[in-house]
Structure formats: C-alpha cells, structure tokens
Amino acid sequence: MREALITRKTAETDISARVNLDGSGAYDIQTGVGFFDHMLDQLARHSLIDITLKATGDLHIDDHHTVEDCGIALGQALAQALGDKRGIRRYGECHLPMDDAQVRCALDLSARPFLVWNVNFPTAKIGAFDTELVREFFQALATHGGITLHIDQIHGVNSHHIAEAAFKAVARALRMAVETDPRKGDAIPSTKGAL
C-alpha cells in the first residue's frame, strides 16, 4: 500500500497528514485557513491522491506557519508513501487553463528538491489570504517531498484563478508522476538504480 501518515507538532503548529497515492482524490482537509483548504481540496481531487489533513496553528499571528508546515507535512507524507519509487513514472507535467489564467507545471520525483517559481499575483491578497503564501507552500512541499518542481505562469489577471491553476497544474503533474508504469514493473526509474 502506497500510504503514509505524518504527524508534526511544533510550538507553532500541530499537523496530521495522511496520503494514499492510489486513491480517488478523496479529501478531508481542515487547516483553519479557508482559501488554503479550497486549494488543498483541488490538489487532492485532481491528483487522485487521497488526502486527510488536520492542522491547528498560530492563526492569531498569521497564516504563514500553518501553510508552510502543511507543505512540510504533505511533502514528507508523499516521500514516505513513494518509498524507493519502484515502478513509478517519475516525471509529470501539465498546462492548466482556468479562465484568464494558464499555469504550467513540470516536476520530477527526483529526491533533489528544487523550486522554480515564475508566478506573479496582481494582488497581495485573495480575500484574507496572503498570495505570497502560495509560493511558501510549494517551496515546503518540494523541499520535504524531494521534488524538482517548476511552476510557470503563462498568463492571468485574476489572483484566485492564478493560484487555483497552479494547484491544479501541480496536482495533474503529480498524478502522472506517481502512477505506476506498466512497462517498468518494479524497476527504479533511474539509470543510477536509486532515487
């Protein structure tokens, strides 16, 4: 079973993250940050990775610690569920249109974390949510998931659409990358023999 449960407790947040890579996109996400919950729902739904995430954090300060630490926990859960990555496709990509916005994602489950972020939000907030936290989430996810992650905004004028297109593009690319490749069997998808 390609599943994992990560619990992470600090002085700032208390998080439980469960993933099932072979799910149907079911989700139960409660972080206390409404817009972020909506984005994580999209991540689960479009990746077909079941995600259960419960987080309590120091929201009286701001949303930063909660959003970043959820990225850390989800990244760790993905890495744990992937194990030695035998038989996976490893690479994924998607051009995702959403109304005025189009975002491109390309990723490699390489165990070499790196984020390339070419996204510009026209507003500092989406409702009460700081748009700069979208990058913070993906930085944490990439770092702790061992993902080489490239996210590029092709165009867009609405911050909500841009953010949602980014989450959905990453989701669709993840869906592709974590899938098992029937032509590979139990092979590790690297000439090095390890990822």
Side-chain angles (χ1 to χ4, degrees):
M1 298 294 288
R2 299 192 306 159
E3 299 181 27
L5 171 65
I6 295 292
T7 56
R8 186 172 192 277
K9 184 168 182 153
T10 71
E12 298 167 340
T13 60
D14 186 355
I15 298 171
S16 170
R18 181 185 300 274
V19 300
N20 174 3
L21 301 184
D22 301 305
S24 61
Y27 52 86
D28 182 5
I29 295 166
Q30 299 171 28
T31 68
V33 182
F35 180 77
F36 185 49
D37 287 359
H38 176 49
M39 293 299 101
L40 294 179
D41 292 349
Q42 303 305 319
L43 185 67
R45 175 84 173 209
H46 293 278
S47 68
L48 297 184
I49 297 171
D50 293 347
I51 300 175
T52 302
L53 179 69
K54 309 289 184 189
T56 55
D58 54 2
L59 300 180
H60 62 286
I61 296 175
D62 69 6
D63 299 341
H64 186 112
H65 298 141
T66 299
V67 171
E68 182 178 30
D69 289 5
C70 284
I72 292 170
L74 280 173
Q76 290 172 342
L78 284 172
Q80 184 175 312
L82 283 164
D84 65 4
K85 302 176 186 166
R86 286 182 186 277
I88 66 166
R89 294 187 187 275
R90 176 179 166 181
Y91 296 98
E93 53 85 22
C94 179
H95 282 251
L96 197 294
M98 182 167 180
D99 299 337
D100 56 284
Q102 183 183 170
V103 175
R104 176 180 62 217
C105 173
L107 61 82
D108 177 9
L109 301 176
S110 62
R112 294 189 307 275
F114 198 88
L115 176 66
V116 174
W117 178 258
N118 292 308
V119 178
N120 293 300
F121 291 104
T123 62
K125 293 205 177 263
I126 302 169
F129 184 82
D130 292 327
T131 52
E132 69 180 7
L133 296 182
V134 178
R135 183 189 188 284
E136 293 303 315
F137 170 77
F138 285 121
Q139 180 68 68
L141 185 76
T143 299
H144 294 272
I147 304 168
T148 303
L149 180 59
H150 292 238
I151 304 173
D152 297 286
Q153 176 185 342
I154 308 303
H155 44 253
V157 296
N158 179 285
S159 292
H160 187 133
H161 295 163
I162 294 165
E164 191 160 341
F167 274 86
K168 288 178 176 177
V170 171
R172 295 292 296 199
L174 266 177
R175 175 179 174 177
M176 183 184 298
V178 304
E179 284 180 341
T180 54
D181 186 341
R183 297 176 63 195
K184 285 295 184 182
D186 284 337
I188 291 173
S190 172
T191 54
K192 292 183 251 187
L195 279 172

